[in-house]
């Protein structure tokens, strides 16, 4: 299977697409200034105790208070709390974790008010990003993730990934880490550590310990609340988690992120560093690799797949519901039962892809087409487990119920990716009346002149819908060429599949988007809204 990673870096966000055999299977999109990402560590103060929930709420700087449950304190909380207290009392000296005497573990069935107090200062890590109306979920069982190892302060336990099958290799890794790790540090040995030399593992262990010590030192200097440790950039985090020898190419359209990824791949797999490639063409990177088209066809409420069948995906606060329909299939099996099985199996393939693509988590209920034979229901259940095996998120699949429903629980650590298809009209700015499409090219010319003459910006690129681009450039002496001759060679026009028909965007030479909305656009929109409001009141 051919696996490629395509990274689209923009001024305000970064999108990472995983493509397998040319088919989009995973898409992650994040703001570049996101602060409350999973793995980030904060120093915060307990703002409220909730004995009924057996939890506490802390202020980490987010608009909603963050949630810390008693079970997320970790069994070594007493030792952890003692260390944090020492660090905050004497801010000129960094306590040595290896010299801290271990305290007794907290009671698994205890209460939050027994171990923490109002106003207490804690070091906490984001376990779940803010979702919907909820604030971040926290844990005090800190972990710092590397390529080969995960460092867990205060644990002193060594665990080996279950995906490492060879018993001798498990023993070798366990003994090796036992010989090099300091006291009071726990370590999880990741699958990628298999067959790695002691020097590589020792180097990463020292790096992770340095990250922890730097976080504590920053805690001593910071005003509460404050972030003291930030996870790697999203692009690096994805590569760290999913990088494998099967990756054939990693394409990046930003030089800074390209250098970060290239350096990281050179560090973890020197023989594979040539797979990281800088994309420097003018065509948008997602358009070039046919990702934009796949996004448009995969994120709607209705998703079609082979032979006319389709699935309908609905979202609620508590769960996701998926309905499978056979549609107007021209091909039919020997009977209704075999036809239903075929549609359900193909639907299972698409559903497994959609769960990864949209990063849907929580409870998922799937209404498959009814099947009468028990062996067919079992075959569908086995097939769903098989196609979900490559999903890295923890999940649990139940067999079909007597109502023909399949229930899946999938790990949810961040909001499901929802590409909104509805958008404010780019032509009228919400006034409700669209200028004639025949005049759209005149409007574009006016905007180009406004940018050059009023904003004094040159060497910019104006992206338009591919149909508009084709119209402007048709003929030997096209509209585009006429504009170049009259205005000057100070701009370019290129197609972008992600834009709506009468939408356009302008990017300067530094890859920053230019706001082309003039005062007359805003004032006319406001006056239009006010006149409509006045008319409604008179009625």
């Amino acid at each position: 299977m051919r696996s490629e990673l395509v990274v689209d870096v923009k001024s305000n966000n970064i999108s990472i697409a995983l493509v397998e055999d040319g088919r989009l299977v995973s898409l992650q999109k994040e703001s570049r200034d996101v602060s409350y990402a999973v793995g980030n560590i904060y120093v915060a103060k307990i703002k409220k105790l909730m004995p009924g929930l057996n939890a506490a709420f802390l202020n980490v700087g987010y608009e909603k208070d963050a949630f810390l449950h008693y079970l997320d304190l970790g069994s070594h909380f007493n030792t952890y709390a003692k260390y944090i207290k020492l660090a905050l009392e004497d801010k000129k000296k960094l306590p040595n974790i290896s010299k801290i005497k271990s305290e007794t573990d907290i009671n698994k069935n205890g209460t939050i008010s027994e171990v923490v107090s109002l106003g207490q200062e804690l070091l906490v890590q984001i376990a779940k990003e803010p979702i919907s109306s909820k604030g971040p979920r926290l844990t005090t069982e800190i972990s710092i993730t590397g390529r080969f190892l995960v460092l867990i302060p205060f644990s002193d336990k060594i665990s080996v990934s279950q995906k490492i099958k060879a018993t001798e290799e498990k023993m070798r890794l366990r003994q090796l880490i036992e010989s090099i790790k300091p006291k009071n540090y726990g370590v999880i040995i990741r699958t990628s550590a298999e067959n790695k030399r002691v020097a590589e593992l020792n180097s990463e262990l020292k790096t992770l310990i340095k990250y922890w010590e730097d976080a504590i030192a920053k805690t001593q200097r910071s005003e509460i609340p404050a972030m003291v440790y930030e996870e790697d950039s999203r692009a690096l985090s994805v590569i760290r988690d999913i990088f494998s020898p099967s990756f054939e190419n990693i394409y990046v359209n930003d030089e800074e992120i390209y250098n970060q990824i290239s350096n990281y791949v050179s560090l973890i797999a020197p023989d594979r560093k040539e797979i990281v490639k800088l994309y420097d063409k003018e065509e948008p990177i997602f358009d070039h690799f046919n990702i934009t088209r796949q996004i448009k066809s995969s994120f709607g409420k209705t998703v079609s797949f082979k032979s006319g069948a389709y699935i309908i995906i609905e979202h609620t606060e508590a769960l996701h519901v998926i309905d499978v329909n056979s549609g107007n299939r021209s091909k039919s099996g020997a009977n209704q039962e075999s036809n239903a099985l075929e549609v359900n199996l193909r639907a299972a393939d698409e559903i497994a892809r959609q769960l990864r693509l949209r990063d849907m988590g929580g409870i998922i209920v799937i209404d498959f087409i009814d099947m009468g034979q028990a062996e067919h229901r079992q075959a569908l259940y086995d097939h769903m487990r098989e196609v979900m095996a490559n999903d890295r998120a923890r999940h649990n699949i139940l067999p079909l119920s007597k109502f023909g429903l399949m229930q899946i629980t999938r790990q949810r650590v961040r909001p499901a990716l929802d590409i909104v298809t509805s958008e404010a009209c780019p032509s009228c700015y919400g006034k409700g009346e669209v200028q004639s499409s025949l005049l759209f090219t005149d409007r574009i010319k006016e905007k180009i002149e406004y940018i050059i003459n009023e904003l004094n910006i040159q060497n910019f690129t104006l992206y338009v819908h591919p149909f508009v681009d084709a119209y402007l450039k048709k003929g030997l002496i096209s509209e585009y060429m006429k504009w170049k001759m009259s205005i000057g060679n100070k701009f370019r026009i290129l197609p972008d599949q992600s834009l709506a028909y009468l939408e356009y965007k302008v990017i300067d030479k530094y890859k920053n988007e230019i706001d082309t909305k003039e005062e007359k656009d805003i004032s006319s929109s406001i006056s239009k809204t006010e006149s409509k409001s006045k008319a409604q009141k008179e009625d």
Side-chain angles (χ1 to χ4, degrees):
M1 182 167 53
R2 179 187 175 91
S3 296
E4 294 180 316
L5 204 66
V6 182
V7 183
D8 181 18
V9 182
K10 296 181 179 177
S11 58
N12 57 346
N13 63 58
I14 179 170
S15 300
I16 304 163
L18 176 61
V19 180
E20 294 179 354
D21 293 332
R23 193 165 182 243
L24 180 65
V25 296
S26 176
L27 178 68
Q28 299 189 34
K29 189 172 184 177
E30 287 201 15
S31 170
R32 296 190 73 177
D33 59 355
V34 64
S35 299
Y36 304 96
V38 172
N40 289 355
I41 300 176
Y42 290 79
V43 57
K45 188 178 290 187
I46 294 180
K47 187 176 177 181
K48 189 187 299 181
L49 289 175
M50 300 292 288
L53 297 175
N54 204 15
F57 286 93
L58 289 83
N59 175 22
V60 294
Y62 187 68
E63 55 184 318
K64 297 268 187 180
D65 289 338
F67 180 80
L68 175 65
H69 194 271
Y70 179 82
L71 296 177
D72 293 321
L73 295 177
S75 58
H76 307 286
F77 179 79
N78 288 334
T79 308
Y80 152 91
K82 178 182 177 182
Y83 179 85
I84 298 300
K85 186 178 179 182
L86 285 173
L88 293 174
E89 283 178 349
D90 186 357
K91 297 188 177 184
K92 295 182 180 179
K93 181 181 178 184
L94 190 71
N96 188 338
I97 191 172
S98 299
K99 295 181 179 179
I100 295 290
K101 182 181 177 182
S102 296
E103 302 291 324
T104 56
D105 292 352
I106 62 172
N107 183 2
K108 290 182 180 179
N109 300 315
T111 60
I112 193 82
S113 53
E114 292 174 349
V115 291
V116 299
S117 57
L118 202 62
Q120 185 174 346
E121 296 170 352
L122 299 175
L123 200 66
V124 292
Q125 188 169 34
I126 305 291
K128 283 187 181 180
E129 291 179 10
I131 297 174
S132 185
S133 60
K134 302 172 183 175
R137 180 156 183 166
L138 307 175
T139 178
T140 57
E141 200 163 19
I142 308 294
S143 62
I144 301 177
T145 306
R147 170 63 180 161
F148 308 123
L149 308 171
V150 179
L151 181 74
I152 306 175
F154 312 107
S155 172
D156 216 23
K157 179 182 177 184
I158 298 174
S159 303
V160 184
S161 169
Q162 294 182 355
K163 292 183 180 179
I164 299 177
K165 301 299 182 184
T167 305
E168 292 130 359
E169 179 62 9
K170 283 185 176 182
M171 291 178 62
R172 182 188 78 88
L173 290 170
R174 189 183 292 275
Q175 291 171 0
L176 192 155
I177 296 299
E178 184 68 53
S179 66
I180 61 175
K181 85 167 185 68
K183 185 183 175 185
N184 284 342
Y185 284 108
V187 174
I188 298 174
I189 302 171
R190 306 186 72 188
T191 310
S192 53
E194 191 170 11
N195 299 320
K196 291 295 182 285
R197 295 178 292 111
V198 62
E200 294 177 90
L201 300 179
N202 188 41
S203 174
E204 180 165 279
L205 182 61
K206 287 181 178 179
T207 301
L208 296 179
I209 292 174
K210 180 71 165 54
Y211 287 160
W212 164 255
E213 291 176 344
D214 288 347
I216 296 299
K218 193 172 180 181
T219 298
Q220 295 175 315
R221 302 190 302 267
S222 301
E223 290 186 12
I224 298 174
M227 182 168 65
V228 296
Y229 171 79
E230 186 174 13
E231 267 281 9
D232 291 331
S233 71
R234 193 67 198 143
L236 286 185
S237 297
V238 171
I239 291 170
R240 182 192 67 199
D241 292 339
I242 69 176
F243 182 83
S244 73
S246 66
F247 267 34
E248 295 198 7
N249 295 295
I250 300 173
Y251 296 99
V252 192
N253 66 344
D254 180 84
E255 192 167 359
E256 181 185 349
I257 301 296
Y258 163 78
N259 289 330
Q260 290 180 17
I261 296 174
S262 183
N263 292 336
Y264 187 74
V265 173
S266 298
L267 180 66
I268 63 174
D271 58 324
R272 302 286 290 155
K273 63 181 180 180
E274 76 284 350
I275 69 173
V276 185
K277 298 172 182 176
L278 180 63
Y279 178 87
D280 56 2
K281 297 179 182 178
E282 293 298 333
E283 183 184 12
I285 188 170
F286 273 14
D287 289 7
H288 181 79
F289 291 101
N290 197 35
I291 293 172
T292 304
R293 187 179 297 273
Q294 293 190 61
I295 291 173
K296 297 268 187 183
S297 64
S298 299
F299 277 91
K301 176 181 174 181
T302 302
V303 180
S304 300
F305 52 99
K306 294 180 180 179
S307 306
Y310 60 94
I311 59 175
I312 298 175
I313 303 174
E314 294 277 9
H315 307 280
T316 73
E317 178 72 19
L319 53 89
H320 307 278
V321 181
I322 303 175
D323 183 37
V324 179
N325 293 278
S326 59
N328 55 346
R329 283 171 49 87
S330 57
K331 178 184 175 183
S332 59
N335 52 54
Q336 183 179 349
E337 181 75 14
S338 59
N339 191 46
L341 175 62
E342 184 183 351
V343 172
N344 285 339
L345 291 176
R346 300 292 72 78
D349 294 337
E350 182 61 32
I351 289 167
R353 171 176 173 258
Q354 287 290 331
L355 296 185
R356 292 175 64 189
L357 190 59
R358 304 188 189 210
D359 203 9
M360 293 161 60
I363 302 172
I364 300 109
V365 178
I366 307 168
D367 182 12
F368 284 105
I369 299 173
D370 291 340
M371 295 183 295
Q373 297 182 26
E375 58 267 28
H376 287 171
R377 293 195 294 270
Q378 183 63 39
L380 175 61
Y381 171 63
D382 293 340
H383 183 73
M384 179 59 85
R385 293 184 62 182
E386 180 183 341
V387 295
M388 289 282 288
N390 292 328
D391 194 336
R392 297 184 64 259
R394 291 197 301 271
H395 59 271
N396 188 30
I397 306 172
L398 296 181
L400 288 166
S401 70
K402 63 180 180 180
F403 299 117
L405 304 176
M406 179 178 288
Q407 300 171 67
I408 299 176
T409 58
R410 188 175 183 272
Q411 182 185 21
R412 179 169 70 173
V413 295
R414 58 180 56 89
L417 183 60
D418 185 20
I419 304 293
V420 180
T421 53
S422 61
E423 53 193 22
C425 176
S427 179
C428 70
Y429 302 106
K431 296 194 296 287
E433 293 179 2
V434 184
Q435 193 178 35
S436 171
S437 56
L438 286 174
L439 303 178
F440 182 59
T441 54
D442 296 340
R443 184 189 179 95
I444 290 179
K445 185 181 178 183
E446 289 176 4
K447 290 297 182 184
I448 292 172
E449 292 173 338
Y450 167 73
I451 293 168
I452 294 173
N453 299 329
E454 300 294 329
L455 302 182
N456 296 318
I457 298 174
Q458 298 184 11
N459 300 323
F460 60 87
T461 303
L462 185 137
Y463 288 95
V464 295
H465 189 276
F467 289 177
V468 177
D469 177 75
Y471 174 77
L472 291 173
K473 296 178 180 178
K474 73 174 183 176
L476 187 60
I477 304 180
S478 63
E479 286 292 312
Y480 180 48
M481 290 303 299
K482 291 178 184 177
W483 295 354
K484 287 271 188 178
M485 288 186 284
S486 65
I487 301 173
N489 193 25
K490 302 172 182 178
F491 67 96
R492 288 174 301 171
I493 296 179
L494 292 173
D496 187 340
Q497 296 177 13
S498 67
L499 297 177
Y501 182 52
L502 297 181
E503 185 180 9
Y504 59 89
K505 67 179 178 182
V506 183
I507 305 296
D508 65 17
K509 61 182 178 181
Y510 304 108
K511 294 189 175 182
N512 296 314
E513 187 167 352
I514 302 170
D515 184 6
T516 60
K517 188 183 290 187
E518 301 175 55
E519 187 177 342
K520 62 182 181 181
D521 298 323
I522 301 171
S523 59
S524 62
S525 176
I526 293 172
S527 62
K528 185 74 175 180
T529 305
E530 288 177 347
S531 62
K532 280 187 176 181
S533 176
K534 184 178 179 181
Q536 288 172 353
K537 287 180 179 178
E538 290 176 354
D539 291 342

